[in-house]
Amino acid sequence: ASTFTYNATLKNQTAEKQLYALTAFVPRGWIITFKAKYKQVTSVELEANSSEKITIEVDPPDNIEAGTYEIPVQAATSSTSAELKLQAVITGSYKVELTTPTGLLSTSTPVGGKKRIVLLVKNVGSSELTNINLTFSAPSNWDVVFDPKRVDKLEPGNEAEVFATIKADKKSIPGDYGITMEAKTAETSSKISFRVAVKTPLLWGWLGILIIIAALAGVYYLFRKYGRR
């Protein structure tokens, strides 16, 4: 939430010098700052029949609910006091977070294979989010399919589960590849970088082992057959 700034004038309408203590009555988490002559103060001393301009800065908590809030401000001496009611209109904050249930941002798949992962779209702001679209950026000939492709509505504090199926290029070579996924609304967005390790298919691995075993067996056979001659 943004900081609100108010300008006020404190007047001493008595015939004597007065020391006014400045206070504000706000819920927990709010921060109120009083300034006089550009310096932060908690009290102001005024000569008889004089006045002083006071700047009041109001900093509401992050993720506060949207609404209209009244802020009573008081200037008081030991014998008299004056109160002013300020008003702050909070429109709410928009913030989305894209993550996974475990926080892990890596996976693996065979060459040309598919991997289905679970994503979480969270509303960590104080306003409702609508039309949250899921998009991606990946290496050439890769693809990511989201299910669903869009979250229509998400209330503050809530989260939605989205499945992403990553499809690796059939011609990709074993190694690590980066994919960027994004949850985006008209007001805010969140990106994550996902690492995908492409591995040689298990079948080809076993074929490689069998070829090596066959080659060793051939060498052994030739050694047994011709080694003693």
Side-chain angles (χ1 to χ4, degrees):
S2 301
T3 299
F4 297 86
T5 302
Y6 306 87
N7 294 314
T9 301
L10 178 62
K11 295 181 179 180
N12 178 6
Q13 296 178 328
T14 70
E16 298 179 356
K17 181 190 293 186
Q18 300 287 347
L19 179 64
Y20 294 91
L22 304 175
T23 55
F25 304 94
V26 293
R28 183 178 179 181
W30 291 66
I31 299 174
I32 307 294
T33 304
F34 297 95
K35 290 183 179 180
K37 296 178 181 178
Y38 305 102
K39 293 183 179 179
Q40 186 172 333
V41 296
T42 57
S43 61
V44 174
E45 188 176 60
L46 291 180
E47 298 291 338
N49 297 311
S50 65
S51 63
E52 181 80 60
K53 292 187 179 298
I54 306 294
T55 300
I56 307 168
E57 295 180 353
V58 179
D59 186 8
D62 292 337
N63 302 328
I64 187 173
E65 291 186 4
T68 300
Y69 296 83
E70 283 196 348
I71 307 159
V73 177
Q74 186 182 77
T77 69
S78 58
S79 59
T80 184
S81 66
E83 187 174 283
L84 176 67
K85 286 188 177 181
L86 306 177
Q87 191 177 81
V89 179
I90 307 293
T91 57
S93 62
Y94 297 92
K95 190 173 183 182
V96 65
E97 180 184 357
L98 182 62
T99 185
T100 64
T102 62
L104 185 66
L105 299 178
S106 62
T107 188
S108 62
T109 184
V111 173
K114 298 180 182 180
K115 191 60 176 284
R116 192 171 189 248
I117 61 173
V118 180
L119 301 175
L120 291 180
V121 180
K122 299 182 178 182
N123 184 348
V124 292
S126 60
S127 296
E128 180 185 84
L129 297 175
T130 58
N131 298 326
I132 309 171
N133 292 296
L134 283 301
T135 60
F136 73 94
S137 175
S140 179
N141 297 322
W142 284 59
D143 193 19
V144 179
V145 178
F146 297 102
D147 181 22
K149 295 181 180 180
R150 184 179 70 182
V151 179
D152 293 328
K153 183 187 298 184
L154 198 59
E155 297 290 340
N158 289 355
E159 61 184 38
E161 192 175 69
V162 175
F163 295 96
T165 301
I166 300 172
K167 301 179 181 179
D169 181 10
K170 295 180 180 180
K171 297 181 180 179
S172 57
I173 61 175
D176 290 345
Y177 294 81
I179 294 177
T180 299
M181 289 180 273
E182 182 177 20
K184 186 175 183 180
T185 71
E187 301 85 7
T188 182
S189 65
S190 176
K191 289 182 179 181
I192 57 173
S193 296
F194 217 87
R195 184 179 64 84
V196 182
V198 173
K199 299 181 178 181
T200 302
L202 186 61
L203 175 61
W204 288 106
W206 280 112
L207 287 176
I209 293 173
L210 291 175
I211 291 172
I212 293 173
I213 293 174
L216 291 175
V219 171
Y220 178 75
Y221 172 77
L222 292 174
F223 176 79
R224 289 291 299 261
K225 184 173 183 179
Y226 302 105
R228 296 182 181 179
R229 296 183 179 181

